[in-house]
Amino acid sequence: MQVTAMDIYRLLPQTNCEDCDEAACGEASCMAFATKLSEKEAQLELCTEISSEGFAKLESLLAPAVREITIGNGDKTTTIGGDEVLYRYELTYYNPTSLVIDVSDNLSDAEFTERVKVIEETEFERIGEMLTLDAIALRNASGDAGKFAEAALKLKKAKLPLVLCSFDSGAMKAALEKVGDERPLIYAVNESNLEEMAALALEYNCPVAIFSPNDLEKMKQMSRVLREKGIEDIVLDPGTFVEEGIGDSLDNFVMIRRLAVEEQDEDFRFPILGIPALTWLYEKDEIQGGIREATIAATLMNKYADMLIFHGTNIWELIPVLTLRQGIYTDPRKPQAVDAGLYEFGDLDKDSPILMTTNFALTFYTVEGDIKGKTNAYLLVLDTEGRAVDVSLAGGQLNAEAVADLIKETGIEDKVETRTLIIPGLAAPVSGEIEDESGWEVLVGPRDSSGVPDFLDKLKEKS
Amino acid sequence: MDKMSQLLKLLEKTDYIEINEFRMDFEELELQIMPAMQRVVQQAVTKQAAIQETIKTMEAIDFVPPIKDYPGEVAQVQLGAGSRKPVYLGGQQALYRFEEPQPNPPVVTFDVFDIPMPGLPRPIREHFSDVMEHPGDWAKKAVKDFGANVVTIHLIGTGPKVMDKTPRQAAEDIEEVLQAVDVPLVIGGSGDPQKDPVVLEAAAIAAEDERCLLASANLDLDYKRVAKAAVDYNHAVLSWAITDINMQKTLNKYLMKEGLTQKDIVMDPTTCALGYGIEFSIDVITRTRLAALKGDKDLQMPMSSGTTNAWGSREAWMKNDAWGPTDYRGPIWEIFTGLTMMLCGVDIFMMLHPQSVQILSEIGSTFTKEYLTTDVPDISNWITELE
């Protein structure tokens, strides 16, 4: 449940910092600060007037429904959890799902180094943002404590934080002796190793995962025991069943999150871990396996997974996963839009071509990527309240009158002598109306902006 | 140190000893437990007591599943009658299957076109290139080879700028498909707001009493004519609004004024593709389903997704070596788009790629099962079992 600004205001000093020129929180009043706090846009620490008792009360009131946990330290961290709501439209989802790739401790030196390099270097640029992976899961596949520790030591040099995967507390201890100071996630506590793993989590001050496949009652019990021992950073793995059992996995994920958000059940107020990598226990074909592993990842990411461990590293498998994550974790309160107006690309003169598109961020960055450095053109960007071409056409934000106004407002008519506007292929249905309204000639451009440079070249040849 | 002391030194931190291939011959044996051994035993006893204590604490904690009651329910819509094998959409009385399993699994329909569709992406064309000249053959292949339980026939060729086929020709195409398969049909127009109502009316007459889904009625065209055709010839109507829950409500109300009921309407709140606004669809579809279960009568209809929109995304079709082959990217893009909609509450999916259809159907079929009734494998040793 989201805390209201009023709940927060009651606990603030309500001084409005009248005696100061400027309040430390930077807000005009305590009520304004309370509103910011409720929307998670300000930090409580900014308030200098609050008593320590008030601070403690507010801190607990403001604690998110799902505990926020950081794995790793220094410049190698990934943060998970922190969510407040069940549905993203209610507020937003915080801390994008952490994407982790496994590495096993029985690889040869060369294979090990190569795999780590692939994980570190995987990247994909979208809407002006570089999307990358977040952590490495070292798997004690050998079952040998010495090998596990040795491999952990090798990962000290890696650029990403670690998840240590073993149910053998002896192996876990050996690995923690090497990398325990880097705050890896200890995966995982189960019924038979609970005491030893809990002791290690406390000794090394590391977050720890609970593995309780298809048994939420046992999970609740183990969570309670860990909490009573003073362990605060817990991650929950209710088991990922990649075939017909995926329905059960979904149920478990949803129940855990509902218990955390709606019931405020302290034993479940923790991030959830899913393991799409389990696909490879049943599927040996690299392509089929990749498609199915990605599918499991999408299923769980849609329903609250805060961290996912993969085995596949093919870019065609990871691009859709990274893209889905980017979409789910955008802030629904802010339109994904760029400023409307006139943008200039390359060397321009009075005869340069004029293109038009909408101010949906994805549309804009896609068009920008397709023309920048590849052709010279003016680009008119229409305010469609952050909607794509086809959507704004259907919704009426892209209309002849708006385009005519845009031409006038940008003053493009003073910069060029041409009176020809190139509109996106998808906007073809309104080409006639734009001509009537603006008095300009309208050319229908390609449906996809990747075709723009070619389109402009051909246009030049004709003239 | 003598041998025994050395052994005990080694045993200091040991809980137990396992001896392999051990054989000993003796007539009389006397064992002396040394102090170090006693410590080991003592430690083991203490540890056992701690575990017993932990187990006792654990047993005192109960787990109660977070199940809710919902005042509303989603209407059940039947597609297919007459010579068709019917399928049923909707009917949900809860949000998740641990509360109550869905009465009907999500349905996937295959897209079929009345013209050869040169613009279809290669990974799809290669499955259908032999049947694309004839919508009947195309539909038959979708049903026989790829297990479609519904087929969507898009009358793209009727578009004034495409082939400008007459309503009569459209009706003939519908008859061809009806003859070829015995599954229900979704009938789509070309997207031309002037012509679609006329074309859909002709198709509705050709398929009288077969209970097809006429796609679509929206606020930009003569929806009254589409609704009337559905009422007169026993079909259902797809009510299409653009990611706007209020627009959807308004349109549904208008359609019900024309004589359609909740059981005759399927909603299409618009599917924005993965990476191209899918989050807008997530929000609208989630809110629509929640509103239905909370009792909003104007939104208590099953939902449809134009999942094929996913193929419009450049990541799905564009050749780019750095992104890997489109043969795999394309199907995943379609699966992700459909799957995300499915998890928000969509009931019927219009799709193109055989593998996307297969995977989505598999996951969808689990929705009708009860929690913890599926045999699941033992994954407790996954860390060492994974290759």
Side-chain angles (χ1 to χ4, degrees), chain A residues 226-267:
Chain A
L226 293 184
R227 294 200 309 114
E228 280 171 357
K229 288 177 188 293
I231 295 173
E232 294 183 327
D233 291 340
I234 297 169
V235 176
L236 307 174
D237 175 8
T240 299
F241 296 97
V242 298
E243 295 187 308
E244 284 190 355
I246 190 65
D248 286 338
S249 295
L250 266 176
D251 282 343
N252 291 328
F253 274 54
V254 171
M255 279 195 260
I256 290 174
R257 188 52 42 92
R258 191 180 266 191
L259 286 163
V261 172
E262 292 187 334
E263 316 279 331
Q264 301 275 314
D265 184 328
E266 297 293 338
D267 298 323

Side-chain angles (χ1 to χ4, degrees), chain B residues 240-252:
Chain B
W240 174 39
I242 316 265
T243 56
D244 182 333
I245 199 161
N246 291 320
M247 191 199 287
Q248 187 76 63
K249 258 178 90 104
T250 306
L251 179 59
N252 292 349

Side-chain angles (χ1 to χ4, degrees), chain A residues 195 248 252 258 288 370, chain B residues 54 97 99 275 314 355 371:
Chain A
E195 293 296 326
D248 286 338
N252 291 328
R258 191 180 266 191
Q288 293 307 314
D370 285 332
Chain B
T54 308
R97 61 167 224 170
E99 301 176 301
R314 56 167 58 192
Q355 188 171 18
Y371 178 50

Side-chain angles (χ1 to χ4, degrees), chain B residues 89-100:
Chain B
L89 308 174
Q92 293 89 345
Q93 300 186 16
L95 208 50
Y96 296 108
R97 61 167 224 170
F98 62 83
E99 301 176 301
E100 187 172 311

